[in-house]
Amino acid sequence: MGTTTRTITVTGEGEGDPPVHLHCTDSGGDGPPLLLLHGLAGHSGEWDALAARFTPAHRVVAFDARGSGASTRRPGDVSRAAHVRDVVQVAQALRLPAGQLVLVGQSMGGITALLTAAAHPELVRALVLVEAGPDGPSPSLPETIGAWLDSWPVPFPDAEAAAAFFGGAAAGRAWAVGLVPGPGGLHPRVERDVMVATVQENAHRDFWDAWDEVRCPVLVVRAGKGMLKEQEADRMAERRPGTRIAVVPDAGHDVHLDDPGAVFGEVAAFLAEVDPTAAV
């Protein structure tokens, strides 16, 4: 079965909450399910290189987070709880078997994965955090994200210019793919105020309480040139013995784009330990 795309409509907790439409890709098949969650202002296509390595043995699912990509651009709720509900409702809509799901999240997607594993232990078999950890609060984060988005020279004249702006190589090309044609060139598929609102919760709290509630096996992938610091990863392992820490030395924060082969190798080795009977 080839990869298919579909839109999944999710609902909020309140009766007046408008539905949110999530753009999903699904490789299909009967293999153990992997659900991939991208980072802030990104899109599910970032996982393509990694997903291709897993699809022979796994059912690989990814979706554009609310406010990003081809999903609802201006959702009413961008809280961490809303993102967690999205994961749960996507898993239910696609009939991903509870207790067998491996959650893989990068950056803000990793925070969502962590919180989902903590709140729904019955759903998650294993957790992979890529350049993501529970540290905080980060009071300057909303301002930093706003300034970063303001620095984008929109519209970009073409994909080549966009890729160069985002650092070139595979990571730059992946960010360029996340743009869409519009007046004068290529435009973001995210709204500045939505992205700033999405990180407001991180400005005021940490997630160590949730980290302490995670009960499944965990792999933490840290990039040598990334944002997840060694001290934070060490503290994660200290608070939760058995946590596996892997480092990709020459990669940046977008390690899944900089070196998908290395990330695949670390995840495959981890999954072989979690379930030795499952082929990768």
Side-chain angles (χ1 to χ4, degrees):
M1 177 184 293
T3 298
T4 60
T5 61
R6 62 178 288 187
T7 298
I8 294 177
T9 300
V10 299
T11 57
E13 289 188 325
E15 290 185 7
D17 293 342
V20 169
H21 307 293
L22 301 175
H23 174 78
C24 300
T25 60
D26 181 2
S27 72
D30 298 323
L34 271 66
L35 181 52
L36 310 177
L37 308 177
H38 66 78
L40 185 77
H43 59 97
S44 57
E46 294 178 20
W47 294 110
D48 285 354
L50 191 64
R53 290 169 164 82
F54 278 108
T55 49
H58 290 266
R59 180 179 179 184
V60 183
V61 174
F63 67 90
D64 293 339
R66 56 175 58 215
S68 298
S71 294
T72 296
R73 189 156 175 155
R74 283 191 170 277
D77 186 354
V78 291
S79 66
R80 289 296 95 204
H83 283 82
V84 169
R85 288 197 301 272
D86 291 346
V87 173
V88 174
Q89 292 191 39
V90 166
Q92 292 172 341
L94 295 179
R95 300 183 184 277
L96 303 180
Q100 297 184 33
L101 182 62
V102 177
L103 277 183
V104 182
Q106 188 262 345
S107 196
M108 285 295 287
I111 298 298
T112 299
L114 187 163
L115 294 175
T116 303
H120 299 278
E122 76 289 348
L123 180 66
V124 183
R125 175 71 181 91
L127 175 65
V128 179
L129 302 179
V130 181
E131 276 288 293
D135 224 357
S138 303
S140 63
L141 185 59
E143 182 180 356
T144 299
I145 294 301
W148 172 58
L149 292 169
D150 288 340
S151 75
W152 294 18
V154 176
F156 294 94
D158 52 40
E160 183 178 354
F165 173 79
F166 290 119
R173 292 191 296 272
W175 279 93
V177 168
L179 304 171
V180 290
L186 298 175
H187 294 255
R189 287 194 290 178
V190 298
E191 299 289 345
R192 179 192 189 278
D193 60 327
V194 174
M195 294 299 100
V196 171
T198 298
V199 300
Q200 285 292 342
E201 200 167 332
N202 298 64
H204 302 291
R205 62 165 293 194
D206 62 49
F207 300 97
W208 287 107
D209 56 345
W211 175 247
D212 293 337
E213 294 298 318
V214 173
R215 295 292 176 262
C216 64
V218 183
L219 166 67
V220 177
V221 179
R222 186 174 68 82
K225 301 176 182 178
M227 298 172 64
L228 178 63
K229 301 305 181 186
E230 182 178 1
Q231 296 89 338
E232 183 177 358
D234 288 346
R235 185 182 176 194
M236 293 168 75
E238 289 170 3
R239 289 179 68 133
R240 194 181 178 286
T243 298
R244 180 178 177 132
I245 308 294
V247 182
V248 182
D250 296 324
H253 186 56
D254 289 327
V255 56
H256 60 307
L257 298 170
D258 290 344
D259 198 341
V263 175
F264 170 76
E266 296 292 352
V267 176
F270 168 67
L271 294 181
E273 289 185 0
V274 170
D275 186 1
T277 65
V280 179

